[in-house]
Amino acid sequence: MTHAETNTAAAVAEQGATVAPAKTPSRKGATQKKGAPKGQKAAEGRKAKTSKKAAKPAMAKEASTPRPESKGAKILDLIGRAKGATLAEIQKATDWQAHSVRGFLSTAAKKNGLNIESTKTEAGDRVYRVKK
């Protein structure tokens, strides 16, 4: 073997073969499917954890009223009038878009326990008022 042949053989040996490395086994265990029930893990001598929700007494939700200076309070004042308030009046008072006013009214009725009546005038304007 000549000196040149030895150098190329050594270079090839240093590079090694281009073979994919062997896969190592995963250390992660099998995972549960989404929505599958989870088993309780309780060691001997230890009590199983109880739910926090079960420990707390149920509190009744009270009807919340918005702060007096808020836009929500303005809307409730406007629709609380005898003649009610048109959608345009409420939009002008709050600087909200129509869909925002309608969304507020739907949630305000639920949160405050109000019965909000919606009617259309002959001109086609929508009028909201609190039904008593």
Side-chain angles (χ1 to χ4, degrees):
M1 220 191 251
T2 65
H3 183 64
E5 289 175 356
T6 310
N7 284 344
T8 54
V12 170
E14 285 177 12
Q15 287 179 346
T18 56
V19 178
K23 285 192 173 185
T24 58
S26 176
R27 293 183 185 183
K28 204 174 182 184
T31 58
Q32 289 182 334
K33 289 185 179 181
K34 288 186 179 179
K38 296 179 182 174
Q40 291 186 356
K41 297 178 184 178
E44 280 186 10
R46 289 180 60 188
K47 295 180 183 176
K49 291 183 180 180
T50 57
S51 170
K52 289 183 180 180
K53 289 183 181 179
K56 291 183 180 179
M59 297 177 74
K61 272 198 166 185
E62 295 179 21
S64 61
T65 56
R67 296 183 315 248
E69 68 276 0
S70 69
K71 291 180 181 182
K74 287 179 188 177
I75 294 173
L76 293 178
D77 287 342
L78 287 171
I79 65 172
R81 301 183 301 189
K83 66 176 186 170
T86 65
L87 183 59
E89 288 175 332
I90 297 170
Q91 283 181 269
K92 188 175 181 182
T94 59
D95 198 31
W96 285 354
Q97 294 183 9
H99 68 275
S100 300
V101 173
R102 289 191 298 267
F104 172 80
L105 290 173
S106 69
T107 57
K110 293 176 188 175
K111 285 184 178 180
N112 296 317
L114 300 173
N115 190 3
I116 298 175
E117 181 182 54
S118 171
T119 56
K120 265 193 173 180
T121 62
E122 293 168 2
D125 295 330
R126 181 67 60 182
V127 177
Y128 297 96
R129 70 175 57 95
V130 177
K131 200 176 194 182
K132 294 180 184 179

